[in-house]
Amino acid sequence: MPVAADLRPPRRERTLNPLTDGIGRSAAAHEHRLLSAARPELPILNWLGMFAKPLLKVPRLGWITADPLTARAVLNDPDHFTLLSEGGVGHLWAQILGDWVYGLFDGPGHYDLRTKSRELFTEKTSFEFVERAWGSRIADARRAFDAGEPIDLADLSRILVGQMVVTLLGMDVADTDEAYLDIFRTGEELAATALGTTADTVLPPHKIAAARVIVEKLTGHIDGSFATAAGDTVIGRCRDHGLTLTETKGLSTLLMVAGTETAASAMARTAALLYDTGEQHRLIEHPELMDGAVREALRVTSPAPIIGRSVLADLDIGGHRLKAGERIVVLTWTANNLAGQFRVDREYIPQNRQLWFGAGRHLCLGGPLARAELTKIVQLLVGDGRPFRVVSRRYGRRVLIPAYESLVVQKA
Ligand code: HEM
């Protein structure tokens, strides 16, 4: 479809200032409000991040970095940084799941787990998982959307992600939107355990007890299904790749925590970005830019906006001496956004690589699945060659992963 020239964003490239570009510029302004609604400390961290190239020490928080090269150096250095000590996500989960986390989340046990689960989400298996889990649900949604009906994409994303979890983990739940939404909300509740732990990962006993009940609800069925699960399910694959029952339950919990809110957040925010920047028109004109559009959406949304590590042993990095026991927070959102605004035709940025998925040994296991999910959503939005508009939006408040609570879209 031809695009009116005045609808297109200016071609001139400029560097995004994540602080000032939050004011008055539609896409960036919405992203900023979304981040502050989720966690009021995020915009402050992002602002501080502009001075954290390569590193800055912040009282009570520790070191922060928004420099992609320093970030990758940290995430690629298991001799000096860990996520198991206080301050890291492994420490958080060990209190809930048990001490076996220390054997599986880092070090040789983790290496072994990652080696065994390497083939779990390839490009091919990921597209198959998306087709199997969402095929008919997405086809229905697309028919309604193309016919002009409004869709709350934030809601649909949560339902689809819940459905993905049910499919991946082979859970026995009713095939209804309500049931999938309930699974998503349960995973969200589990992830919320981590809220307020940016500065301190020690959990109070009541939070630990509540989180354990949720873990049992989500993974308890694996005790019964482990031996018999089909080879094309994640549980069957884990078993066939030599993972033990404990490893499989641990990995399933990780998938729940790491791959639900992040994926749903990316889906609705991608729709908002495509509309707010006008880039949907460029994509409609050039559907071959789909992969670039998905990569850009992941970069600019960076749904996991920070990654925490503890310093294991003293080291010099970025002109500073970091001491064992200190903490460091990698500001992925800032590091990725400093590279420029959302453009579907932007080339791959070598220094950032795919920092939105982390780096090193903990690099997101579900990256190919997240990309496949997002591709399907973008196809839903503009696959018929016609643009859409955002009718209304509401930001999620006090949530771990910044996300739209509601984003209603409709064909323009
Ligand atoms: C847009 C969506 C996603 C984003 C932005 C994202 C981001 C990340 C990041 C930044 C990490 C590294 C954390 C660290 O180093 O501490 C990570 C790890 C992980 N992600 Fe994702 N993720 C997404 C979707 C998914 C999906 C769909 C799954 C699977 C269903 C998944 C599974 C995992 C797992 C299992 C890990 C832990 C890997 C390890 O510790 O070895 N993620 N993710």
Side-chain angles (χ1 to χ4, degrees):
M1 148 173 281
V3 183
D6 59 350
L7 280 177
R8 297 181 191 189
R11 300 285 308 181
R12 192 165 54 87
E13 181 62 274
R14 61 188 281 276
T15 304
L16 177 69
N17 176 332
L19 176 65
T20 52
D21 276 11
I23 303 160
R25 299 183 70 84
S26 179
H30 282 303
E31 275 286 300
H32 265 269
R33 289 190 210 119
L34 184 103
L35 293 180
S36 13
R39 295 158 75 176
E41 76 273 18
L42 280 178
I44 301 166
L45 268 180
N46 289 332
W47 177 75
L48 284 170
M50 291 197 301
F51 309 99
K53 294 188 79 176
L55 280 165
L56 178 75
K57 194 165 185 184
V58 180
R60 290 189 53 244
L61 185 63
W63 295 95
I64 59 173
T65 179
D67 172 45
L69 296 181
T70 309
R72 277 215 313 284
V74 169
L75 298 174
N76 272 303
D77 181 357
D79 294 333
H80 291 97
F81 298 96
T82 178
L83 48 64
L84 291 185
S85 316
E86 208 179 313
V89 68
H91 174 250
L92 191 82
W93 291 110
Q95 297 164 77
I96 297 164
L97 301 174
D99 283 350
W100 59 263
V101 163
Y102 291 115
L104 273 192
F105 274 38
D106 221 345
H110 175 261
Y111 177 79
D112 188 42
L113 178 72
R114 287 297 302 242
T115 308
K116 288 176 185 164
S117 53
R118 205 170 30 209
E119 299 296 308
L120 217 49
F121 298 114
T122 60
E123 296 296 319
K124 183 169 178 289
T125 59
S126 298
F127 275 94
E128 284 166 6
F129 275 130
V130 168
E131 221 33 67
R132 176 146 36 113
W134 296 358
S136 63
R137 183 68 179 79
I138 278 274
D140 290 348
R142 190 163 166 179
R143 256 191 305 278
F145 187 56
D146 288 351
E149 279 182 35
I151 288 186
D152 187 334
L153 199 66
D155 231 13
L156 179 65
S157 303
R158 289 186 286 262
I159 292 166
L160 291 172
V161 167
Q163 190 167 8
M164 180 59 75
V165 169
V166 167
T167 307
L168 291 179
L169 302 190
M171 298 169 88
D172 188 17
V173 304
D175 181 20
T176 62
D177 286 0
E178 292 70 31
Y180 297 135
L181 207 50
D182 178 58
I183 293 294
F184 180 89
R185 292 291 186 202
T186 311
E188 193 175 41
E189 227 180 293
L190 181 61
T193 311
L195 262 181
T197 59
T198 310
D200 179 5
T201 50
V202 179
L203 295 173
H206 72 274
K207 272 199 173 187
I208 297 178
R212 283 186 181 156
V213 172
I214 298 175
V215 170
E216 188 52 29
K217 174 175 172 187
L218 294 172
T219 63
H221 70 284
I222 299 175
D223 290 315
S225 66
F226 186 65
T228 52
D232 61 351
T233 64
V234 163
I235 305 303
R237 268 170 206 268
C238 286
R239 182 201 57 225
D240 296 346
H241 282 97
L243 270 72
T244 63
L245 174 60
T246 306
E247 287 172 330
T248 303
K249 288 178 82 170
L251 190 63
S252 302
T253 309
L254 259 184
L255 297 186
M256 282 291 309
V257 172
T260 51
E261 279 182 272
T262 44
S265 160
M267 292 174 202
R269 285 164 79 186
T270 298
L273 275 177
L274 280 167
Y275 171 74
D276 294 334
T277 57
E279 284 288 286
Q280 60 167 330
H281 300 292
R282 204 191 310 277
L283 184 58
I284 288 169
E285 239 184 313
H286 297 283
E288 73 280 6
L289 294 175
M290 175 61 89
D291 288 354
V294 167
R295 184 179 61 235
E296 272 293 280
L298 286 165
R299 177 180 70 80
V300 173
T301 59
S302 288
I306 57 173
I307 301 178
R309 291 288 187 270
S310 312
V311 183
L312 259 183
D314 294 5
L315 85 157
D316 293 311
I317 184 169
H320 296 276
R321 167 139 285 230
L322 274 60
K323 298 231 165 57
E326 289 183 326
R327 300 195 55 209
I328 180 160
V329 176
V330 173
L331 304 177
T332 46
W333 189 92
T334 313
N336 289 328
N337 274 275
L338 283 171
Q341 297 171 20
F342 177 77
R343 289 187 50 148
V344 297
D345 61 352
R346 186 182 294 286
E347 298 284 322
Y348 170 77
I349 307 169
Q351 71 268 28
N352 284 69
R353 294 198 195 169
Q354 41 176 349
L355 196 54
W356 44 92
F357 285 140
R361 57 176 55 192
H362 294 284
L363 177 74
C364 179
L365 182 69
L369 183 64
R371 278 196 296 271
E373 291 178 325
L374 214 47
T375 303
K376 199 78 179 166
I377 293 296
V378 177
Q379 282 165 349
L380 162 77
L381 291 166
V382 293
D384 71 344
R386 291 187 299 141
F388 65 93
R389 66 192 175 100
V390 171
V391 177
S392 68
R393 65 181 103 202
R394 205 168 60 247
Y395 313 114
R397 304 217 161 267
R398 299 297 299 167
V399 284
L400 182 68
I401 299 295
Y404 282 102
E405 176 55 31
S406 165
L407 185 89
V408 179
V409 291
Q410 194 171 25
K411 279 290 167 186

